[in-house]
Amino acid sequence: MTDFAFATCLVGMEPALKREVARDRASLRFAYSRPGLVTFRTDGTITPEDKSSSGFARVWGRSLGAARDPEDAAHQLAAVGAQRLHVFARDSEVATDLAAWAAAIPIEAGASQLGDLVADVIVAPGEPAWLGLHRADAYHLPYPGGWIPVDMPSESPSRAYAKIEEAIAWRGLPVAAGHVALEIGAAPGGAVLALARRGLEVYAVDTADIAPQVLALPNVHHLRTKVGALRWEELPERVDWLLLDVNLAPQVALHEVARLVPKLRDHLRGVVFTLKLNDWAFVDELPKLAERIRQMGFTDVQMRHLPSNRREICVVGLRAKR
Ligand SMILES: C[S@@+](CC[C@H](N)C(=O)[O-])C[C@H]1O[C@@H](n2cnc3c(N)ncnc32)[C@H](O)[C@@H]1O
């Protein structure tokens, strides 16, 4: 028997996805790919409950195959018992007409509830759609295509506003007004703005300028220094959330923050690190890097390529509940 799994990802991240699957699921062999969509073949079974072995997959599930038009998709999906319909673009950066596909398939659309069997209809202009099935669980995000809706205000100086909001939504981080955040690599200040708007006291470490509209907020403090030169006296008494978003190789970036963690550990609730993957070989290092973050005292470490991530991945580490 041959079954197939499918994964969707940001266009351009297919090499990272394939590398992780080859490393961690040797029984899956690469079958087919289009930009933003990869399928794998196995002699075993792939159920809709199958778990992705890669944080680069936005959606992962059982692959059903191509549908030449909306009526064909409706016909094929009629037999599978799906409770929810997710129609989305294969390439999230390309304007794609989804309406005809959604209209032809009589399954309820919208955000999934835990346990729903979800039909994925992956659409690209001028092509057959690709069909898949997944079970909505804690790993799968509820919106079509693994999307996370974020309203980024026009005054945000960077897309990092969306990255931190997506991380908060993905892990349900208990970020609250009155908490203190320290961000290493904070300029021009998108993430700082998001946290300041949530009422946190935010310390922004960067040698570069923080945008004036962000710096003007009373709860934003700029520490104009390299992380390696940061002095203890400059840090607040207590830090709840530590963020890292520097354009350095991940090993180097983690080495820099490792120096700070012991001093902050007693109060830290969690860390949100954006690791840059300028070299695909860094993908092979991710399990080791996750282990290093665990050794810093964060027992629950998960990685995910968030909708606003580019050639990078988000790692969230949480302390055990005390
Ligand atoms: C991707 S940007 C950060 C975007 C930012 N998080 C935001 O929300 O807008 C990377 C930043 O890392 C900073 N950076 C690079 N090396 C650094 C270091 N050793 N210490 C502090 N900041 C550093 C750069 O100056 C740059 O502003």
Side-chain angles (χ1 to χ4, degrees), residues 189-209:
V192 172
L193 176 65
L195 295 173
R197 280 169 57 122
R198 285 175 171 267
L200 280 79
E201 210 59 42
V202 192
Y203 291 78
V205 177
D206 207 305
T207 48
D209 289 343

Side-chain angles (χ1 to χ4, degrees), residues 10 55-56 58 141 146-148 162-171 272 274 303-310 312-316:
L10 175 70
F56 293 98
R58 286 178 171 172
L141 292 168
W147 210 247
I148 302 175
K163 293 197 296 192
I164 187 65
E165 285 295 331
E166 289 166 357
I168 292 169
W170 160 45
R171 294 298 324 267
V272 181
T274 302
M303 298 197 175
R304 187 174 187 107
H305 191 258
L306 296 168
S308 294
N309 281 141
R310 292 298 173 260
E312 59 198 6
I313 193 160
C314 176
V315 190
V316 171

Side-chain angles (χ1 to χ4, degrees), residues 4-305:
F4 291 87
F6 79 93
T8 63
C9 64
L10 175 70
V11 169
M13 295 308 286
E14 303 83 2
L17 176 66
K18 289 184 188 168
R19 257 179 126 108
E20 288 210 315
V21 173
R23 183 188 66 214
D24 298 335
R25 293 272 297 267
S27 62
L28 293 182
R29 294 176 317 275
F30 167 65
Y32 164 83
S33 92
R34 303 281 301 141
L37 170 70
V38 185
T39 72
F40 301 92
R41 176 189 295 109
T42 175
D43 296 331
T45 306
I46 299 287
T47 66
E49 290 76 27
D50 196 80
K51 296 272 176 287
S52 164
S53 53
S54 173
F56 293 98
R58 286 178 171 172
V59 186
W60 176 279
R62 172 177 168 80
S63 180
L64 301 177
R68 60 185 177 278
D69 55 37
E71 291 65 38
D72 183 24
H75 176 73
Q76 292 194 46
L77 292 174
V80 299
Q83 293 139 317
R84 191 70 64 177
L85 178 66
H86 283 179
V87 179
F88 56 95
R90 171 166 63 67
D91 182 343
S92 52
E93 318 257 300
V94 169
T96 307
D97 184 7
L98 306 174
W101 296 88
I105 304 167
I107 303 174
E108 195 179 335
S112 57
Q113 308 284 329
L114 282 182
D116 279 354
L117 184 61
V118 182
D120 295 292
V121 179
I122 306 156
V123 178
E127 283 181 17
W130 201 264
L131 306 182
L133 270 184
H134 75 264
R135 181 77 62 188
D137 56 15
Y139 168 78
H140 285 92
L141 292 168
Y143 290 96
W147 210 247
I148 302 175
V150 173
D151 269 336
M152 191 159 79
S154 57
E155 72 264 28
S156 175
S158 68
R159 72 184 153 81
Y161 184 103
K163 293 197 296 192
I164 187 65
E165 285 295 331
E166 289 166 357
I168 292 169
W170 160 45
R171 294 298 324 267
L173 300 180
V175 166
H179 285 177
V180 179
L182 172 67
E183 183 175 31
I184 311 298
V192 172
L193 176 65
L195 295 173
R197 280 169 57 122
R198 285 175 171 267
L200 280 79
E201 210 59 42
V202 192
Y203 291 78
V205 177
D206 207 305
T207 48
D209 289 343
I210 301 292
Q213 70 276 23
V214 178
L215 203 53
L217 300 172
N219 48 342
V220 171
H221 314 277
H222 186 190
L223 305 176
R224 193 187 283 279
T225 171
K226 283 193 166 192
V227 56
L230 193 60
R231 287 175 292 115
W232 299 128
E233 314 82 84
E234 295 176 284
L235 291 175
E237 276 285 285
R238 176 193 109 222
V239 173
D240 299 279
W241 300 99
L242 175 64
L243 282 69
L244 170 74
D245 189 16
V246 288
N247 35 19
L248 298 171
Q251 297 86 338
V252 179
L254 279 188
H255 180 75
E256 295 281 10
V257 288
R259 178 180 76 93
L260 303 177
V261 169
K263 160 95 176 160
L264 304 176
R265 189 155 39 208
D266 282 352
H267 295 289
L268 270 181
R269 294 164 196 269
V271 295
V272 181
F273 295 163
T274 302
L275 302 181
K276 309 286 173 181
L277 303 170
N278 299 333
D279 186 330
W280 289 129
F282 293 160
V283 173
D284 302 334
E285 301 295 314
L286 291 177
K288 243 187 271 167
L289 297 175
E291 187 50 37
R292 217 158 140 202
I293 297 169
R294 273 183 210 104
Q295 282 165 5
M296 290 180 194
F298 303 96
T299 46
D300 177 0
V301 175
Q302 291 188 36
M303 298 197 175
R304 187 174 187 107
H305 191 258

